[in-house]
Amino acid sequence: TASLMRTRALTLYRQLLRGAMKMPTPNRQNYVIRKTRDEYRANMGVTDPEEIDFLIRLADTNLDTVMVQAEHLTRLFNDNSRNTDL
């Protein structure tokens, strides 16, 4: 239903913004935040249930990508900072 889709979209929005804060640098954090806000604003007026479903699945995929990148980049940055300390 529409209210379930809206709830899911807002949950994903918040999760993406939280995921952005896990990025290791302010530039990456700001990029994910800006991209998330821009995409959500651009699609606020979508009313077609199939398109909404597609956008929710896309946001879910983006969330997975952000979380994997945050983990990978954080590990990479931590490894590099340890190597430069030697």
Side-chain angles (χ1 to χ4, degrees), residues 23-41:
M23 287 290 185
T25 65
N27 282 344
R28 296 240 178 223
Q29 292 171 358
N30 291 332
Y31 173 78
V32 173
I33 290 168
R34 187 175 56 251
K35 182 83 170 144
T36 299
R37 288 181 177 158
D38 289 350
E39 289 296 320
Y40 272 75
R41 283 187 188 124

Side-chain angles (χ1 to χ4, degrees), residues 57-86:
R57 284 185 280 122
L58 181 61
D60 210 6
T61 300
N62 288 341
L63 176 60
D64 289 343
T65 301
V66 165
M67 300 310 283
V68 167
Q69 284 183 359
E71 182 181 333
H72 173 73
L73 292 172
T74 299
R75 193 175 322 121
L76 188 66
F77 274 72
N78 288 340
D79 288 349
N80 284 341
S81 68
R82 271 188 242 128
N83 289 339
T84 58
D85 291 342
L86 297 176

